[in-house]
Amino acid sequence: LKYAVDNGFQLVGHSHSHPRLETVTQEQVIAEMTEPVADIKNRIGYDMQNWARLPNLCRDESVLQICKDLNLILLGHGMKCGHDWTPDANAEEIAKETLETACDGAIACMHVREQTYIALKTILPELKNQGYQLVNPDELFEIKGKNNIPTGVHIHNVNDI
């Protein structure tokens, strides 16, 4: 993680144990969404601020309200990424779906998996070839002039705010 941060990547909280948040208690939701942030800060000194992505893109209203109370900006996925988190996903499918769903302002959420790494060797040059600028969430919101970012709602594309 330190290597990623040192090379310009932005880390986003994603929960501690990846549960279906709508099935756990309010206290567990709070712990799931805050403990990883504190852990990363303690381990490598990196502050994830208030960026987060809910596991399984939970849309339960009580979970969203907790996230709003925690002042979390919830990133969704405007670009579909070929179910890159599944063990049977392959790099070709990941690249194909990601490139088919790319659009201005879209947020891509990808996971640290070998097949994702392989797919990125196709995805990144092709997106650049198509004229896209690849930026992290902080940069994306700044470029688009989005200063009042809502909390407690999924943002799949910055242009939708």
Side-chain angles (χ1 to χ4, degrees):
L1 294 176
K2 181 143 179 43
Y3 175 83
V5 169
D6 289 347
N7 284 280
F9 288 86
Q10 185 172 349
L11 303 181
V12 174
H14 189 48
S15 82
H16 181 68
S17 64
H18 213 270
R20 294 204 64 86
L21 293 176
E22 67 275 16
T23 67
V24 300
T25 68
Q26 178 177 347
E27 292 77 19
Q28 289 171 302
V29 171
I30 292 169
E32 285 289 334
M33 298 311 294
T34 59
E35 287 176 6
V37 174
D39 186 41
I40 295 297
K41 177 104 175 170
N42 289 336
R43 288 177 186 238
I44 63 171
Y46 181 79
D47 182 5
M48 285 192 266
Q49 302 164 359
N50 57 342
W51 297 105
R53 182 178 183 279
L54 295 176
N56 307 300
L57 286 176
C58 170
R59 288 178 175 81
D60 178 87
E61 288 302 317
S62 63
V63 172
L64 294 175
Q65 184 59 52
I66 293 167
C67 291
K68 185 174 184 173
D69 294 345
L70 292 171
N71 199 36
L72 295 177
I73 298 170
L74 303 176
L75 300 177
H77 61 346
M79 293 168 59
K80 308 281 189 251
C81 298
H83 295 92
D84 76 326
W85 67 91
T86 62
D88 58 340
N90 70 60
E92 185 177 305
E93 290 172 2
I94 294 168
K96 181 179 185 290
E97 186 173 46
T98 303
L99 292 169
E100 286 175 351
T101 59
C103 62
D104 178 57
I107 296 167
C109 176
M110 302 184 100
H111 297 75
V112 181
R113 304 272 187 165
E114 182 178 358
Q115 65 270 20
T116 303
Y117 170 74
I118 294 167
L120 285 169
K121 291 180 179 181
T122 300
I123 295 166
L124 297 178
E126 181 56 27
L127 288 175
K128 289 178 182 178
N129 186 49
Q130 292 178 22
Y132 289 104
Q133 181 182 0
L134 307 175
V135 296
N136 66 39
D138 276 339
E139 296 166 328
L140 178 61
F141 284 82
E142 183 178 327
I143 289 168
K144 294 294 186 176
K146 306 295 182 175
N147 300 318
N148 297 315
I149 306 167
T151 60
V153 296
H154 282 109
I155 302 168
H156 298 288
N157 187 308
V158 70
N159 295 319
D160 293 339
I161 299 175

